[in-house]
Amino acid sequence: MTETRPDPEAILPDTVELCEVGPRDGFQMEDTFIPTDVKVDTIRALAKAGLPRIQVTSFVHPKWVPQMRDAEEVCDRLPMADGLDGTTLSGLVLNRKGLERALEAGCRHIDLSIATHDDHSMDNANMPVADAVAEGAKMVREARTEGCDVQMNFQTVFGYREPGDTPLGHVVDLAVQFAELGVESISLADSTGMGNPVAMRRVVRALRDSIGETPIVLHLHDTRGLGLANLVAALEEGVTRFDTSLAGMGGCPFIEGATGNVATEDTVYLLDQMGVHTGIDLHGVASASRRVEDALEASFPGKMHRLLEHESSQTPA
């Protein structure tokens, strides 16, 4: 296990790029339909706060994820092709029909997502991994033919039924295959939150040695409270792109007990304290998180948006 221990002299990257997934991963878990106005206003507020990337929606069947039934309307009200205030806007796609919808909605940045564990693939897409991979390859080629950048996301990389039940060699083989197809990046999802810092280092090192210059992105659910610890471990291995979710919203409709991604404002605060630049306005994100909580009359697990509000209320006028 010595190969997975941190380097005590590891040099942290100067900058990190965060992709905000709350408008998709976060909103999809809410039972009450969120008005399209709230979704679009939240996306605009996050772009204004300096998020370099935002995943704005997913093109899934409304029978399975009713919250995303306004995907086309959300995209129609945003500059999907050109971006927003310097922010790249993307949509999540799980199948060929979803890709068709995303292209028709003007998406130029496509986030494809497939399972790496057969049980999850059957639960999530009703097909074994081999079939999902074959379909995924076709979708990558089609999207690239249309001039789109494509990120390939692998689900449950760090465990589905139990930690480590997805063979690392299998993940590496998939990553190599899609890197050779010219995807813009490879995203590794800890969908169940079963990952730990040692596993993060092992997986990141294996992929880094296999896919060359293709960027690695980490999508870390905080189900077991290890999200930020896992993020730091990956950061020390040189990963500079991470998905986060405002206020820690989110989960997965097809994974019982899954909670949200690491909170955007908590991540920004952590990176700021470590001297790693994000270019993101912490107070701007925190304000957006509080507005979402107010609109939904809910409380989410992120910490800094509430702490900053408390500190502000204690400051003398």
Side-chain angles (χ1 to χ4, degrees):
M1 301 295 287
T2 56
E3 74 277 10
T4 61
R5 291 177 182 169
D7 180 350
E9 298 182 357
I11 299 175
L12 297 177
D14 293 328
T15 61
V16 161
E17 185 176 75
L18 302 185
C19 176
E20 173 62 56
V21 297
R24 192 278 304 176
D25 202 327
F27 289 173
Q28 74 179 8
M29 296 300 291
E30 297 304 303
D31 293 331
T32 301
F33 184 74
I34 301 170
T36 305
D37 284 345
V38 173
K39 295 175 180 176
V40 172
D41 288 348
T42 300
I43 291 164
R44 290 188 176 277
L46 291 166
K48 185 176 181 180
L51 267 300
R53 294 174 181 266
I54 301 176
Q55 192 179 79
V56 302
T57 192
S58 62
F59 294 89
V60 292
H61 198 294
K63 175 182 177 181
W64 303 116
V65 188
Q67 191 63 248
M68 298 289 107
R69 68 175 184 255
D70 61 348
E72 279 83 359
E73 184 176 356
V74 168
C75 291
D76 186 57
R77 294 171 59 178
L78 294 167
M80 295 301 296
D82 299 326
L84 179 64
D85 296 331
T87 298
T88 296
L89 305 179
S90 67
L92 181 72
V93 168
L94 300 179
N95 53 37
R96 296 295 293 278
K97 178 61 178 177
L99 178 59
E100 292 174 7
R101 291 175 57 197
L103 294 173
E104 290 174 0
C107 291
R108 311 313 297 166
H109 301 274
I110 305 292
D111 298 328
L112 297 180
S113 186
I114 62 175
T116 58
H117 190 288
D118 272 321
D119 289 351
H120 183 231
S121 190
M122 294 302 299
D123 293 344
N124 197 27
N126 197 33
M127 66 175 71
V129 169
D131 291 351
V133 169
E135 283 297 296
K138 293 177 184 176
M139 289 191 288
V140 169
R141 294 187 183 98
E142 182 177 346
R144 295 198 69 220
T145 297
E146 295 294 328
C148 297
D149 286 334
V150 181
Q151 176 175 284
M152 175 53 72
N153 175 65
F154 298 132
Q155 305 158 9
T156 65
V157 168
F158 299 91
Y160 181 47
R161 301 295 187 193
E162 59 185 26
D165 61 4
T166 300
L168 178 53
H170 176 55
V171 175
V172 169
D173 289 345
L174 293 179
V176 169
Q177 177 177 338
F178 283 99
E180 290 175 348
L181 288 175
V183 296
E184 185 275 330
S185 52
I186 300 286
S187 176
L188 309 175
D190 186 13
S191 315
T192 57
M194 290 182 180
N196 63 70
V198 171
M200 289 293 144
R201 295 180 188 281
R202 182 169 58 246
V203 172
V204 167
R205 289 181 186 183
L207 261 72
R208 185 182 59 205
D209 292 342
S210 302
I211 62 174
E213 298 300 315
T214 304
I216 296 172
V217 182
L218 281 178
H219 180 92
L220 303 171
H221 285 259
D222 198 33
T223 306
R224 290 163 175 79
L226 295 178
L228 287 178
N230 291 335
L231 184 146
V232 171
L235 186 72
E236 292 177 341
E237 291 296 327
V239 176
T240 60
R241 288 174 58 177
F242 298 91
D243 290 350
T244 62
S245 177
L246 78 163
M249 296 183 70
C252 177
F254 308 105
I255 297 177
E256 185 176 356
T259 61
N261 286 73
V262 288
T264 303
E265 56 268 44
D266 296 358
T267 303
V268 172
Y269 176 78
L270 171 67
L271 294 172
D272 284 349
Q273 293 301 303
M274 297 175 70
V276 179
H277 180 70
T278 65
I280 296 170
D281 175 11
L282 173 61
H283 290 269
V285 177
S287 177
S289 293
R290 292 194 295 270
R291 288 199 297 272
V292 166
E293 286 191 333
D294 289 344
L296 303 185
E297 298 181 343
S299 179
F300 298 105
K303 300 174 179 61
M304 287 306 300
H305 64 291
R306 283 190 294 274
L307 179 60
L308 291 174
E309 182 179 39
H310 174 74
E311 290 178 349
S312 177
S313 69
Q314 299 300 309
T315 301

